[in-house]
Amino acid sequence: PAQGCPPRFWAPVSIAGVEHGDPRVSLCKLAFDTYWRDPSKTPMFRDLASASRCGRGRAGTLNTLYEDMRKKNIKPVKPSGFVFHESRVGSTLVANMLAAVPTNIVYSESAPPPAVLNHCRSCSKQRKTDILQKLIALMGASPTNYHTHLFFKFQSATVPNIRSLLDAFPETPWLF
């Protein structure tokens, strides 16, 4: 396991324009360094973003940010697991338990992937897959190789689009 504190790093907090052109991604330097100590204080992504003081972040197009990550030789953590759920079943507890391990990156109901899953209605399967793979890579782009696992707990509203995510990440284990 890595030593020290998990680093803060720039991660996507929103994505827009997914249906046409190069989507625009907003980034925030998320406080993973404090999140793992007590995930119950910031159990949802919106809480983590707020605690990270994301008011003035950075932004860019998806392809430019993805290519910048590659040029910097940052090796993103591949998804280790997806949690799908219906409301009020204990999925936040599962996410908090995963988040309590400092080398795990956990996104509990983060906004960017559902924006692609739920709003890229006229997108081809290939376009949706490409956007999801690049977006998830950016969300796992811990620059110091500190993190070893990447987990997502998705909003219940993404359940109807579960197939798109599983097609984009066929090797990633998941639970419902």
Side-chain angles (χ1 to χ4, degrees):
Q3 298 297 314
C5 249
R8 290 179 183 227
F9 64 92
W10 291 99
V13 292
S14 69
I15 186 168
V18 295
E19 293 217 13
H20 306 287
D22 196 356
R24 187 109 178 119
V25 179
S26 295
L27 305 169
C28 172
K29 205 165 205 178
L30 294 173
F32 288 109
D33 56 336
T34 56
Y35 178 44
W36 73 272
R37 286 189 178 96
D38 189 355
S40 67
K41 287 186 178 177
T42 54
M44 298 295 176
F45 181 75
R46 66 181 175 271
D47 303 318
L48 176 61
S50 178
S52 301
R53 296 179 176 36
C54 289
R56 299 185 100 184
R58 299 184 343 193
T61 62
L62 178 65
N63 288 312
T64 300
L65 293 168
Y66 182 78
E67 286 307 314
D68 287 349
M69 176 191 72
R70 291 180 50 148
K71 286 177 187 172
K72 292 176 183 171
N73 206 27
I74 295 171
K75 305 285 187 222
V77 180
K78 292 183 180 177
S80 304
F82 297 142
V83 177
F84 299 97
H85 67 94
E86 292 299 326
S87 296
R88 307 281 183 226
V89 296
S91 57
T92 301
L93 176 61
V94 171
N96 285 350
M97 290 182 342
L98 292 168
V101 178
T103 53
N104 289 348
I105 302 170
V106 178
Y107 290 98
S108 183
E109 301 194 8
S110 61
V116 178
L117 291 169
N118 296 335
H119 301 293
C120 203
R121 292 184 188 103
S122 66
C123 297
S124 67
K125 179 180 176 181
Q126 184 54 47
R127 177 174 173 78
K128 192 179 281 190
T129 295
D130 182 60
I131 292 171
L132 284 168
Q133 288 175 343
K134 288 176 179 174
L135 179 64
I136 298 293
L138 289 171
M139 294 178 87
S142 178
T144 62
N145 294 323
Y146 179 92
H147 295 101
T148 57
H149 294 90
L150 173 62
F151 297 96
F152 287 85
K153 179 189 104 165
F154 292 99
Q155 293 92 323
S156 58
T158 63
V159 171
N161 297 304
I162 206 171
R163 179 53 40 207
S164 295
L165 195 63
L166 299 180
D167 286 346
F169 297 94
E171 304 293 316
T172 302
W174 62 279
L175 63 90
F176 184 90

